[in-house]
Amino acid sequence: MTRFCAVIILSSHVGDAAPLYQENIVLLDADSLESARARAEAHGRAGEHEYRNADGELVVWRLTAVVDVAEVDDQALGDGAEIYTRHFRDYAAYRRFEPLLGGEPL
């Protein structure tokens, strides 16, 4: 059994409002990368749900994407362990989509 890390995106839709996206990084045990991808998809689907908010509006959470699945070195798990590394080229775009960098409340 091998440990994998999966990056999963869920989206929340309420009426005509812009969607809210949630990125989840989860650890999964699987026998292969293909099996880990299937487990990541299942994990994301299990997070799908609907409810009514305080204003009575229907809130719908759906799986948007399984972004990546990567093997994790079990030997490295512990204090300071890097679980997942993301590479990107456009920091300005990252700042625009990451509300915590701008101090925006969720």
Side-chain angles (χ1 to χ4, degrees), residues 51-57:
Y51 61 91
R52 297 253 173 218
N53 66 16
D55 295 327
E57 299 168 307

Side-chain angles (χ1 to χ4, degrees), residues 2 5 11 14 35 60 80 88 90 104:
T2 304
C5 176
S11 58
V14 180
S35 177
V60 179
F88 55 92
D90 189 344
E104 179 184 328

Side-chain angles (χ1 to χ4, degrees), residues 2 10 12 16 29 32 38 40-41 48 54 56 58-59 74 76-77 81 86 96 98 102:
T2 304
L10 296 168
S12 170
D16 293 332
D29 292 329
S32 66
E41 176 91 15
E48 295 182 332
L58 182 64
V59 179
D74 276 349
L77 291 180
R86 176 193 326 264
R96 282 192 302 276
E98 176 49 68

Side-chain angles (χ1 to χ4, degrees), residues 8 23 40-41 60 63-64 70 74 76:
I8 301 167
E23 179 182 56
E41 176 91 15
V60 179
L63 173 64
T64 301
D74 276 349

Side-chain angles (χ1 to χ4, degrees), residues 1-6 26-33 36 39 69-75 77 83:
M1 195 68 65
T2 304
R3 181 147 295 154
F4 293 88
C5 176
V26 297
L27 291 174
L28 302 166
D29 292 329
D31 293 324
S32 66
L33 180 60
R39 293 208 54 225
V69 178
E71 189 172 335
V72 174
D73 179 9
D74 276 349
Q75 304 289 333
L77 291 180
I83 301 299

Side-chain angles (χ1 to χ4, degrees), residues 60-101:
V60 179
W61 281 95
R62 293 291 179 251
L63 173 64
T64 301
V66 174
V67 177
D68 194 15
V69 178
E71 189 172 335
V72 174
D73 179 9
D74 276 349
Q75 304 289 333
L77 291 180
D79 185 42
E82 290 186 18
I83 301 299
Y84 183 78
T85 301
R86 176 193 326 264
H87 299 90
F88 55 92
R89 298 186 191 282
D90 189 344
Y91 184 69
Y94 184 86
R95 282 190 60 87
R96 282 192 302 276
F97 96 80
E98 176 49 68
L100 297 176
L101 282 174

